[in-house]
Amino acid sequence: MNAIIRDLFGNQLTEVAKKRTVKFEKEERSSRLGWTYLSNDFRTFKAVRTYNTLFSAEGEFDFFTPNTFYRKDKRRKTTLRWINAMSVDIDVKNGQNIGITFADIEDKITELGLPTISLCVRTPSGGFHLHWFFDQPRRSSRKMNKHFTRIQTKITELIGGDNEALGPERYYRLPKADNTIFQSDKRVSFDEFCDWFSMIVEEEEEERKEYKRGFCTVGTNILKHPAILTLLKGVKEGQRDSTCFTLALAYKSAGYSSTETETFLHEWNQKNQPSMPWAQVCRKVRSAFSGKYHGPSSQAIKSLSGMDFRYVKWESAKPRKERVYSHAHEWEKDLLSFFKKHGGSISCSLLSLAKKITSSVDKSKTIPLTTLKTLVASLEKQGKLVKEVTGKGRGSVTTFTIVAKKEASAPQTDEVSKKRESKKTKKVIGRIANTLKAKGGWQGSSSVPGLGSSIPLEFYPPFSYTRSSVLSVPRDLPDQFISRLTNLGFNGQFIFGLWSKVRLVFKQFTIPYSAISKNLDYVRLAVEAVGITVEKKGSPIRTDYTNADSFNKYYYGTLKGLVTTYRNESLAHFIEHIESLPDIRLTALGLEIEQLIASKTASDTELLRDQLREVEAEQGARNRRKAYQKSFWDDSLFHDFRFVLKQD
């Protein structure tokens, strides 16, 4: 197990203690090295910073911290120096995860799209400690620790782990020969977890936009939710404290006083097995009504009850007099009333205009400059305001004039603007297509040229493009990828930004950037992902495009799924192929794959390694079958020979 520890901590620990006589060694130690904590009961501990001490003391302790600290006397988030792994605790206590196996955990990890774990340690209670080792340790900071805990919380929630064992400073079981049930050479980048987390959050945001069963508002109806009713029936030991505090917050949100809540929870406590001490219930109620909490945690209710639960606290808007900030529509009324007082027109700069417009309820407050700029642009678009600039530089004068209602044209509706944009786009497409037709270029078809599979282009009239018509696009991008996005109305800057997502996806599969454009299957997957994403997120040419950030995130997840499916299908076809090969050809194929891996010229080295493992597995299976058949015939011949001797 020493190799696992060395791989985790790297150069954060030294072999033996160093002398403190040389000044630069002190500086190096203070900036690079870290302390790991060993403990048996989480109260007493031993801080270690050398491998010699760690390996000699590992038999005396059961727990350690996979992340290291710059202090040896305080194990806190604030004293963390290096974060080396993402760790999750899966407990088998209080009726949770009964009968769970490591195979079940592997299935969950695969289903959630998480990478392969680096280490799994079995706990005495039958639980598991999962660790994903980072390829590069991350320097601890307040921002880093918060985001780490957010990702760890989401993984724990989805995988069924212990919600109370969260944070990068936590203890975990020390890996030993008798409790380590799985280890691999897989190392994960922290950025990969960040990408996974962003995809999960986006999916949850999409779910929140739709009305779900069990979605309620704060009030008396929160106590009628099935999840709350389940908790009110009583809980077992191990969940009483958390449930009592959560129910106290639920009663508080429903409008009950602390005295009423305490009475209700004393009655509820009689249903628990066993019941809590009377004073402990009172402490939980006092804590809930201390003013630090506004309402119960949705995640806590979901975890305790095992049911989906979401709620929204609706509050009526405060009067403008009681608010620090005003809404945009309120400032718009103040702006229009100011122009009416000054005859509908005024000549000044935006900055001086912002100082003159005051709130209707508080004359000491003036409109923010950024808000004024937004309102002026909005009123110009609606045809309610005209802005004219005369002169240049410092001598210029800006005149703002309110347009009368009769003169102001009716604002364009979304349908009218969409139709006009669609007509403009069709004209541009027609001009480009006619130009290419006159020059003898590609005229467009139902499939992208150069690919074996057909990719439908049903969203728009098909046409190709020229490099000069797409700006800001490097020459190493595939023509099919550029053509697909150009036909959908995306500009060169957007195409280049989306291509970075393609590079990121293939980088996770250890596929070099230079191999993407050369492999037509990879290009086909990138183009297919565009069509799927457009169907979900829209495009400029369909006039239903939302924003680049949402489009890029959805495209990233879609392409990652397509590449995963493609590699799995490729490996499945390879397995079918090698099963029909003779032994000599199978051996030769294994040697060819080894040479390709050694040459480092293959586009997908990881897939080749998987294929090589399948070849070796097939060879082993054939050898076992041959050995079994040989032993069977040897036993049969010996039996026949013994039978003949007996007859004689």
Side-chain angles (χ1 to χ4, degrees):
M1 296 297 104
N2 294 354
I4 298 176
I5 298 296
R6 289 182 182 275
D7 188 26
L8 175 63
F9 293 120
N11 61 357
Q12 299 171 24
L13 275 64
T14 59
E15 292 297 330
V16 295
K18 293 185 177 182
K19 295 181 179 180
R20 300 187 177 182
T21 56
V22 183
K23 183 177 180 180
F24 73 86
E25 288 184 354
K26 291 183 180 180
E27 295 175 354
E28 180 186 7
R29 185 183 298 112
S30 64
S31 62
R32 177 176 58 84
L33 301 181
W35 297 88
T36 179
Y37 286 75
L38 304 177
S39 179
N40 284 323
D41 54 6
F42 307 130
R43 292 186 295 273
T44 59
F45 61 85
K46 180 177 182 179
V48 176
R49 200 161 65 176
T50 64
Y51 286 113
N52 188 21
T53 308
L54 178 59
F55 295 150
S56 60
E58 63 180 357
E60 306 173 13
F61 297 94
D62 295 328
F63 299 94
F64 84 118
T65 57
N67 304 315
T68 55
F69 304 77
Y70 67 82
R71 292 187 60 163
K72 64 177 181 179
D73 56 342
K74 287 186 178 181
R75 183 183 59 88
R76 302 282 189 272
K77 281 185 180 181
T78 54
T79 61
L80 270 168
R81 169 163 285 167
W82 295 108
I83 298 181
N84 301 313
M86 178 68 68
S87 305
V88 173
D89 181 7
I90 300 179
D91 263 341
V92 185
K93 296 178 182 177
N94 304 322
Q96 297 179 347
N97 299 320
I98 296 178
I100 191 171
T101 63
F102 180 66
D104 299 331
I105 295 175
E106 286 185 309
D107 292 340
K108 284 186 178 180
I109 291 173
T110 304
E111 182 181 353
L112 294 173
L114 289 166
T116 305
I117 60 174
S118 305
L119 177 68
C120 180
V121 177
R122 187 82 181 220
T123 63
S125 63
F128 302 91
H129 287 176
L130 309 180
H131 302 277
W132 287 269
F133 292 171
F134 294 156
D135 55 356
Q136 295 291 335
R138 300 299 294 261
R139 177 74 74 168
S140 174
S141 65
R142 182 179 298 179
K143 184 177 180 181
M144 172 67 187
N145 296 343
K146 284 185 177 180
H147 197 49
F148 176 92
T149 306
R150 283 195 290 266
I151 298 174
Q152 187 187 37
T153 303
K154 183 57 64 176
I155 296 175
T156 302
E157 172 193 343
L158 297 178
I159 211 170
D162 186 1
N163 290 323
E164 297 182 359
L166 298 174
E169 79 283 4
R170 290 281 180 171
Y171 281 112
Y172 293 91
R173 283 277 169 183
L174 191 64
K176 300 179 181 179
D178 57 344
N179 63 9
T180 301
I181 62 174
F182 178 82
Q183 60 178 350
S184 69
D185 297 331
K186 180 69 174 178
R187 300 296 175 263
V188 187
S189 170
F190 182 71
D191 294 336
E192 187 172 346
F193 279 107
C194 295
D195 293 335
W196 175 86
F197 180 72
S198 64
M199 298 299 173
I200 295 296
V201 170
E202 183 184 359
E203 292 176 0
E204 292 180 350
E205 287 294 333
E206 292 293 335
E207 292 179 1
R208 290 192 188 100
K209 291 178 181 178
E210 301 177 4
Y211 185 83
K212 293 283 186 179
R213 292 181 64 182
F215 193 88
C216 62
T217 58
V218 169
T220 55
N221 63 339
I222 192 176
L223 300 175
K224 299 178 181 179
H225 191 279
I228 300 294
L229 294 175
T230 301
L231 297 180
L232 289 173
K233 293 178 181 179
V235 294
K236 298 180 180 179
E237 186 177 4
Q239 295 182 325
R240 297 174 303 174
D241 287 355
S242 300
T243 305
C244 183
F245 179 69
T246 302
L247 289 176
L249 290 173
Y251 277 110
K252 177 186 176 182
S253 300
Y256 291 96
S257 65
S258 59
T259 304
E260 294 172 328
T261 301
E262 190 173 318
T263 303
F264 292 143
L265 290 182
H266 281 308
E267 297 176 359
W268 162 82
N269 190 32
Q270 303 303 317
K271 303 176 184 178
N272 295 330
Q273 301 175 359
S275 59
M276 299 169 58
W278 181 87
Q280 194 169 354
V281 176
C282 296
R283 284 197 298 270
K284 295 296 179 183
V285 175
R286 284 199 301 269
S287 178
F289 282 82
S290 63
K292 298 180 181 179
Y293 310 96
H294 299 288
S297 167
S298 299
Q299 178 56 40
I301 296 175
K302 184 178 180 180
S303 175
L304 292 169
S305 65
M307 303 175 65
D308 189 24
F309 180 87
R310 297 188 183 95
Y311 76 96
V312 172
K313 189 173 183 179
W314 297 102
E315 294 182 353
S316 57
K318 295 180 180 179
R320 191 180 183 186
K321 294 180 180 180
E322 300 178 11
R323 284 187 273 119
V324 177
Y325 303 102
S326 300
H327 297 299
H329 67 273
E330 295 170 339
W331 281 121
E332 183 178 343
K333 291 181 180 179
D334 296 338
L335 176 64
L336 295 175
S337 63
F338 175 81
F339 277 108
K340 289 179 181 178
K341 290 180 181 179
H342 292 78
S345 180
I346 188 172
S347 298
C348 62
S349 64
L350 275 174
L351 182 59
S352 59
L353 181 62
K355 294 179 180 179
K356 295 177 181 178
I357 300 174
T358 58
S359 172
S360 59
V361 296
D362 188 355
K363 298 300 180 181
S364 62
K365 294 181 180 179
T366 58
I367 185 172
L369 181 60
T370 54
T371 304
L372 178 60
K373 290 180 180 179
T374 305
L375 288 177
V376 168
S378 176
L379 292 173
E380 280 188 293
K381 187 175 181 180
Q382 297 175 30
K384 296 180 180 180
L385 180 69
V386 175
K387 183 177 70 172
E388 296 179 352
V389 180
T390 57
K392 295 182 179 180
R394 295 182 179 179
S396 62
V397 178
T398 305
T399 302
F400 302 93
T401 305
I402 294 294
V403 180
K405 292 184 178 180
K406 294 181 179 180
E407 300 177 5
S409 58
Q412 296 180 3
T413 61
D414 292 340
E415 295 182 0
V416 174
S417 60
K418 286 182 180 180
K419 287 181 179 179
R420 291 190 176 182
E421 291 178 4
S422 179
K423 288 181 180 179
K424 291 181 181 179
T425 306
K426 288 181 179 179
K427 289 181 180 179
V428 173
I429 292 173
R431 285 198 299 267
I432 296 175
N434 293 334
T435 303
L436 293 173
K437 185 175 181 180
K439 294 183 178 181
W442 177 59
Q443 303 304 318
S445 62
S446 60
S447 63
V448 177
L451 298 182
S453 61
S454 176
I455 300 176
L457 308 178
E458 68 275 13
F459 303 131
Y460 49 86
F463 74 102
S464 185
Y465 73 102
T466 58
R467 282 280 177 179
S468 59
S469 64
V470 183
L471 303 177
S472 305
V473 177
R475 292 184 175 275
D476 55 350
L477 268 65
D479 292 344
Q480 297 89 340
F481 184 81
I482 302 174
S483 178
R484 179 65 161 149
L485 288 163
T486 305
N487 292 348
L488 290 165
F490 293 102
N491 57 24
Q493 185 178 3
F494 179 89
I495 295 172
F496 182 62
L498 192 64
W499 183 251
S500 64
K501 296 296 181 183
V502 178
R503 296 178 61 177
L504 182 60
V505 169
F506 283 98
K507 182 181 179 181
Q508 293 185 5
F509 293 94
T510 66
I511 297 174
Y513 170 67
S514 59
I516 301 175
S517 300
K518 297 178 182 178
N519 192 315
L520 293 180
D521 286 336
Y522 296 161
V523 177
R524 175 179 58 83
L525 295 174
V527 176
E528 286 181 351
V530 171
I532 297 173
T533 308
V534 167
E535 192 65 21
K536 182 71 176 179
K537 299 295 181 180
S539 70
I541 201 168
R542 299 196 333 178
T543 65
D544 57 352
Y545 174 68
T546 54
N547 59 75
D549 187 55
S550 176
F551 189 98
N552 290 345
K553 288 181 179 179
Y554 193 91
Y555 178 81
Y556 173 89
T558 302
L559 180 58
K560 188 175 181 181
L562 290 177
V563 175
T564 302
T565 304
Y566 168 77
R567 295 177 84 254
N568 293 339
E569 290 177 354
S570 299
L571 188 60
H573 292 319
F574 179 80
I575 294 173
E576 294 179 0
H577 173 66
I578 62 176
E579 288 176 350
S580 61
L581 293 178
D583 293 346
I584 297 177
R585 183 70 189 96
L586 184 64
T587 303
L589 180 60
L591 293 174
E592 291 176 5
I593 296 176
E594 288 180 351
Q595 292 175 357
L596 277 174
I597 295 174
S599 65
K600 298 181 180 181
T601 58
S603 60
D604 196 343
T605 307
E606 290 298 323
L607 181 59
L608 287 177
R609 289 197 177 98
D610 291 340
Q611 292 176 347
L612 183 60
R613 282 192 285 268
E614 294 297 336
V615 170
E616 293 172 351
E618 179 66 20
Q619 289 176 332
R622 293 185 183 185
N623 292 334
R624 287 193 295 272
R625 287 197 294 268
K626 290 178 182 178
Y628 174 80
Q629 292 174 357
K630 182 179 179 181
S631 62
F632 173 81
W633 285 110
D634 290 346
D635 292 344
S636 299
L637 291 173
F638 178 75
H639 180 271
D640 294 340
F641 179 73
R642 189 171 55 185
F643 178 79
V644 171
L645 290 177
K646 187 176 180 180
Q647 291 294 327
D648 293 343

